[in-house]
Amino acid sequence: MKRVVQYLATLVLALGLGMAQDARQTTLIYGGDWSDLITLDPQVSYEFSGGLITDNLYETLVKFEGTDLSNLKPGLAESWKVERGANAWTITFNLRKGVKFSSGNELTAKDVVYTFERALALKGPGSFLFTDIAALQPGATKAVSDYVVQVSLPKTSSPGTFLSILTFNIGGIVDSAEVQKNAKGNDYGKEWLTDHSAGSGPFRLVRWDRGSQVLLEANPNARNKPKLQRIIMREIKEATVLRTALESGEIDIAEGLTPEAVKALSGNPRFKILRADSLRLNYLGMNVKEGSPFANLKVREAVRYAINQDELVNGLVQGNGTKIQTIIPKGLLGYNPATPYKFDPARAKKLLAEAGYPNGLEFELLVSTGICGGGVPCADIAAKLQSDFAKAGLKANVKAIANAEVLRTYRAQNHQMVLVGWSPDFPDPDGNATPMADFAAKSLAWRNVWNNPTASKLANQASLETDPNKRAALYKLLTELVLREGPYAILYQPAVPIGMSAQVQGFVRSAIGTVRFENISKGQP
């Protein structure tokens, strides 16, 4: 808190007490663990904190609004058109006119071309989204005029997925003149953009004090004028310190509170509690390789009937999660709210008997020694499942090891049953559908040795479908198939517990972690 206090003290000295109080009222101090922040370069940043901040420094051609991650909205592009050619897809973007960067330079098509080529040339941690997922090639983005851009993609890639990727910070359009002016050698301005900004977003970067805070101020040239003048991202790693800082008024928002802190603050009228959705799914993976008991569909069904999901979500997780049984998380196109599996130990026992295990089944359940989504230790969740399973004749021998070792075992297909989580890299259903349904993708379906040609075909068809209604229909077929036959028992979709001053208005956090700072204000509760 030292630097924030210093900042406020400086304001008092510079402006006088009255004006400093006004400045505090137009300043939002947002506390959380931002220790994953490595860079503020939109084409290089791949961590959560970097995405949260750069989303407010840069604009993208298309975007999602609020908590709706299903319907793309215009961003810098007023409109766009997808056309299927003989050998490629062509996406044409019509840019808004008169948009200015914080430097005062006008944003035109050449900035879009430079940005996409820059993302490919830098080969940053998120560049695979352009190269491997979208198959975007150097030279495939062209400026047709100052305000029209065309992007060509091979027919084997999904234009819908590419549009979703563009909402991620890698698609944040940079001021090409400003970046090139500050470039060193062939670094495309990478060193300079680490702690400077060159965007058209509602805020501009003033300072990043590593390990302490990031200071943003309103961009005077922004088309979306923010309601607050400045944002301070205060880094606080310890959960107890985070709660104390909120209670003392030193910060306005605390992200990442423990379930106990949420409970303690819930009855206090000075604060508001938000359980923001995430796109993470916590689930059980069952290895269905030949010879495994889980290769039998009836055993997998028995497992799903042997989980008391309501007690898990409402009791152990204390409501910091959503009950879900299908593979596309709530908030994305294709989300299927079906929850047909109710806790029914008798039915689970019957299924086990029909599968050839009339006296029950013993197996190993692999879990991490760390924390699972919703702030609950994974070992506690495993103990709850073990208890539920026992009522259905399933004896789970829990093996708790370091998360890295869990993942190594899982990736080598050496598990029987594993408790893990999964989050998509970009807000598109394909970020879950292909890994969980297509064996050839060599991801989750492969790890569980589940090779279902129908599921693979549906995932591929859905990823390439450009009509949202047809795409949603394909995902409905896919999610129902995986729900009944797949190697997973989806447990819950964790929430992110956030506490904030009752004065904070307009705070919305999407499931992908986006917060539009320009919509936030402070006033009387």
Side-chain angles (χ1 to χ4, degrees), residues 307-466:
I307 299 170
N308 194 329
Q309 212 176 358
D310 292 324
E311 279 191 2
L312 176 65
V313 174
N314 300 322
L316 189 59
V317 182
Q318 299 186 44
N320 290 319
T322 300
K323 179 179 177 180
I324 181 171
Q325 294 182 353
T326 49
I327 62 169
I328 295 177
K330 183 181 179 183
L332 292 182
L333 178 86
Y335 163 64
N336 183 342
T339 54
Y341 292 99
K342 315 298 180 189
F343 182 52
D344 191 341
R347 188 166 183 177
K349 281 184 177 178
K350 183 172 183 294
L351 284 163
L352 281 180
E354 291 173 0
Y357 300 95
N359 299 316
L361 173 65
E362 184 173 351
F363 57 92
E364 181 179 270
L365 170 56
L366 202 59
V367 303
S368 165
T369 52
I371 302 295
C372 277
V376 181
C378 297
D380 290 357
I381 293 174
K384 166 60 179 162
L385 294 171
Q386 188 180 45
S387 173
D388 288 348
F389 286 159
K391 297 169 186 169
L394 290 162
K395 184 180 180 182
N397 298 314
V398 176
K399 182 178 180 181
I401 55 178
N403 194 46
E405 187 60 28
V406 170
L407 294 176
R408 261 194 296 274
T409 305
Y410 190 28
R411 288 168 181 163
Q413 302 175 314
N414 285 333
H415 63 293
Q416 282 192 293
M417 179 184 285
V418 62
L419 169 61
V420 283
W422 174 262
S423 298
D425 289 318
F426 51 94
D428 186 89
D430 191 51
N432 273 37
T434 291
M436 301 186 89
D438 186 4
F439 182 83
K442 214 171 181 182
S443 186
L444 305 187
W446 181 87
R447 291 178 197 175
N448 289 291
V449 201
W450 188 62
N451 189 357
N452 185 308
T454 303
S456 298
K457 184 178 179 181
L458 281 170
N460 186 256
Q461 284 180 324
S463 73
L464 295 176
E465 179 56 58
T466 58

Side-chain angles (χ1 to χ4, degrees), residues 96-324:
R96 295 178 191 275
K97 297 177 181 175
V99 175
K100 289 188 175 182
F101 291 108
S102 57
S103 65
N105 296 331
E106 186 183 10
L107 188 154
T108 64
K110 69 177 173 49
D111 298 298
V112 178
V113 174
Y114 178 79
T115 296
F116 289 5
E117 296 296 326
R118 182 175 187 270
L120 294 171
L122 287 176
K123 297 182 171 62
S127 292
F128 78 96
L129 297 171
F130 272 10
T131 57
D132 296 359
I133 306 295
L136 181 67
Q137 296 294 316
T141 306
K142 298 186 183 304
V144 177
S145 71
D146 282 351
Y147 304 106
V148 178
V149 178
Q150 281 190 341
V151 178
S152 296
L153 300 175
K155 282 187 71 176
T156 52
S157 68
S158 164
T161 299
F162 178 64
L163 289 169
S164 293
I165 289 172
L166 290 186
T167 67
F168 191 52
N169 53 273
I170 195 172
I173 306 303
V174 301
D175 182 340
S176 60
E178 192 71 6
V179 173
Q180 290 177 87
K181 188 172 71 179
N182 290 283
K184 291 182 179 178
N186 295 319
D187 82 340
Y188 289 85
K190 178 181 173 183
E191 180 180 334
W192 183 74
L193 273 184
T194 297
D195 50 12
H196 293 79
S197 65
S200 61
F203 288 89
R204 65 184 183 88
L205 175 64
V206 175
R207 194 171 71 238
W208 172 19
D209 302 319
R210 287 168 173 74
S212 177
Q213 65 177 4
V214 178
L215 174 60
L216 313 180
E217 281 191 348
N219 172 7
N221 297 315
R223 65 185 183 91
N224 293 319
K225 301 294 183 188
K227 296 176 180 175
L228 294 170
Q229 284 303 302
R230 60 194 66 78
I231 307 288
I232 296 175
M233 304 294 292
R234 174 78 172 98
E235 184 173 319
I236 303 175
K237 300 186 188 72
E238 299 82 9
T240 54
V241 178
L242 190 68
R243 175 182 168 182
T244 302
L246 179 64
E247 290 178 320
S248 69
E250 292 173 348
I251 62 175
D252 300 300
I253 300 176
E255 179 166 319
L257 294 171
T258 63
E260 291 73 23
V262 168
K263 190 174 180 180
L265 294 171
S266 292
N268 190 328
R270 291 176 52 217
F271 304 107
K272 296 186 287 191
I273 297 296
L274 172 68
R275 291 180 172 87
D277 287 336
S278 73
L279 294 182
R280 179 186 173 96
L281 294 180
N282 277 6
Y283 70 96
L284 294 174
M286 294 173 271
N287 193 325
V288 302
K289 65 183 178 185
E290 187 176 353
S292 163
F294 299 111
N296 189 314
L297 178 59
K298 290 189 176 182
V299 174
R300 304 202 292 277
E301 287 246 281
V303 169
R304 290 190 269 267
Y305 278 115
I307 299 170
N308 194 329
Q309 212 176 358
D310 292 324
E311 279 191 2
L312 176 65
V313 174
N314 300 322
L316 189 59
V317 182
Q318 299 186 44
N320 290 319
T322 300
K323 179 179 177 180
I324 181 171

